[in-house]
Amino acid sequence: MAPSLSPIRSHHVAIIGAGAAGLVAARELRREGHSVVVFERQKQVGGTWIYTDHTEPDPLSVDPTRSVVHSSVYGSLRTNLPRECMGYRDFPFVDRSGVSESRDPRRIPSHGEVLAYLQDFAKEFAVEEMVRFETSVLKVAPAADEGTGKWRIESTANEKRDRRDEIYDAVVVCNGHYIEPRLAEIPGISSWPGKEMHSHNYRVPEPFKDQVVVLIGNSASADDISRDIARVAKEVHVAGRSNAADTFIKRSGYSNLWMHSMIERVHEDGSVLFQNGKMISVDVIMHCTGYKYHFPFLETNGSVTVDDNRVGPLYKDVFPPAFAPWLSFVGIPWKVVPFPMFELQSKWIAGVLSGRIPLPSKEDMMKDIKTLYSTLEAEGIAKRYTHQMGITQFEYSNWLASQCGCPETEEWRKEMYLTTGMRKRAYPETYRDEWDDHRLVSQAYQDFSLYK
Ligand code: FAD
């Protein structure tokens, strides 16, 4: 990292959430010399990787007064990225089965192994001593009476229910974005008699034994869950909005799993009609349709909004110009390799807050955001895809790295991400257990030897 030329200013910073984003943000901010408090409403670190059998009482998770179950992880979940690629850069996600028998040695491990890795990270960098567990943030708002920049945070310890009101110099929002379900619109649904649910509340296939289930969605969860349920269900039908109208394909290797175009409408007699003309009688419709960004605690008087799933305005997906650098977000981009990106976003925030890394003026940040919005519009990309990155993530991460004086994303990581994506599409059944990127794995382990 480049030597600092200006004196480092230390600030009192609140981080909301102790998932993969909040943990690395806490480490980076403390490394930079800031004093940090992490608010975490659960009992332990790990965020969405803390698997629980519990689900929300409302299977669609639309009731705003419901008690939220944070995790969206299902029992059979294995990661969709190899561990080498997925881990933080300076704390590699290596096989630790030699240390404990309870660890999962596989390259593409189960959810429990990711949680164990995040717990290892928290231990290694003594993050837990900064965390206030079982403490929910209820409100984050500019502390007008305290002068510009400061933030008032209202929180409550879950047990005691007494509210605490504190002032911080800066807030870093790391609350995750797989909690607030997005639902598909289905003509006729209000009088359809079957059961509807969101994949947020899916855990195990057994409740679907001998049932006819329709899943809506084209992404990883629809793919995984449909195969999981097909083991016990009578029939599984997957409806995808981006599938051509005449799509009707039987999944190879299955006698009871079909891909369809989107649902045309549903009827009072329990039937579901697809755009391809097929009509079937259905017990359950499961929305595997993703999530909405949601910051129920954040009060900015309209300066930061979520509009059709665009969080904005945000400079480089991190700083809202109106409040920069005193309010920031880690973890907004999706279709990315999250952990190493969180690490770079956190380093950037830490360095900007201390005054070591300069930010452009508010006007220039707004100009940059407007250019991005115009480019997306010109390319016909809908607002809700503003934060989707895919291949562009590497350019973004490299830009962050340049701001922080860090090396760019390793070539092997990029290639591994792309290769895994291709293999996943070509061999969805086997890509987690068979691979041919041994060259990339050995390059990764050469790099990891730097961090032993
Ligand atoms: P989270 O892990 O959701 O953590 C947010 C934390 O904030 C939680 O602990 C929560 O309790 C806390 N919080 C929220 N609101 C408040 C509040 N008001 N007060 C106090 N605390 C609060 N990524 C991969 O790299 N590989 C994968 O294979 C992969 N598979 C996935 C599968 C599923 C089903 C899902 C849902 C996600 C998957 N991801 C995967 C992405 C995953 O979300 C990221 O890897 C990462 O864990 C997100 O971390 P986060 O810290 O942003 O959010």
Side-chain angles (χ1 to χ4, degrees), residues 18 23 26 36-40 45 127-133:
L23 290 174
V36 177
V37 174
V38 184
F39 293 86
E40 173 49 62
V45 302
V127 178
E128 288 198 359
E129 63 193 33
M130 292 181 265
V131 185
R132 281 192 210 154
F133 287 106

Side-chain angles (χ1 to χ4, degrees), residues 27 76 138-139 159 179 218 324 364 413 433:
R27 185 193 69 173
S76 64
L138 305 173
K139 185 172 160 183
E159 299 268 292
I179 319 151
N218 268 323
D364 285 348
R413 197 186 297 265
D433 295 302

